[in-house]
Amino acid sequence: MKVVYTDKAPAAIGPYSQAMILNGVLFTSGQIPVDPATGEIAGDTIEVQAEQVMKNLGAVLAEAGTSFENAVKTTCFLADMGDFAKFNEIYAKYFVNKPARSCVAVKTLPKNVLCEVEVIAAVE
């Protein structure tokens, strides 16, 4: 197993890693819309927060030597399913290969953000 860490994504705020690689497969922790440069939540709309989540995931994927194109499964958490369509617009710009996905609404996300996404991706 290999631990993945980049300072271009938010540091873990608990006892976990940004991501792990096992047998050529990357498993990311859920990324929330924290700007790694400031430690602050990016924006207050689903569009701005989803963009920051994707930037954070992109940084973790790049550090692991892979990309959005190699994603095979995502799990998406929304604070409000009313944001589903707007979230999908942002998501679709990054996950163009349409990996398998689960998307659920949850009662509360860390730091009261609007979305969180985790990814499983092949590492070539």
Side-chain angles (χ1 to χ4, degrees):
M1 284 191 301
K2 178 183 175 190
V3 175
V4 176
Y5 171 77
T6 177
D7 60 6
K8 295 177 182 163
I13 56 174
Y16 60 90
S17 301
Q18 289 173 329
M20 299 287 290
I21 298 173
L22 176 66
N23 297 330
V25 180
L26 175 73
F27 299 85
T28 74
S29 291
Q31 287 293 314
I32 61 174
V34 171
D35 181 333
T38 66
E40 300 296 319
I41 303 301
D44 58 3
T45 67
I46 190 64
E47 295 92 342
V48 172
Q49 289 195 10
E51 284 285 352
Q52 185 64 54
V53 165
M54 298 308 160
K55 289 177 188 174
N56 295 346
L57 284 171
V60 174
L61 289 162
E63 184 66 26
T66 191
S67 64
F68 286 101
E69 290 78 21
N70 290 324
V72 295
K73 171 76 166 80
T74 65
T75 305
C76 307
F77 305 94
L78 301 178
D80 181 353
M81 270 303 189
D83 288 335
F84 187 74
K86 291 177 182 176
F87 173 81
N88 272 343
E89 288 178 24
I90 305 303
Y91 178 97
K93 292 189 322 185
Y94 292 86
F95 292 101
V96 296
N97 66 328
K98 299 181 181 177
R101 178 177 96 168
S102 299
C103 188
V104 298
V106 295
K107 183 176 178 183
T108 307
L109 288 165
K111 298 186 179 267
N112 292 313
V113 299
L114 302 175
C115 59
E116 179 175 0
V117 178
E118 61 185 40
V119 177
I120 300 171
V123 178
E124 297 175 347

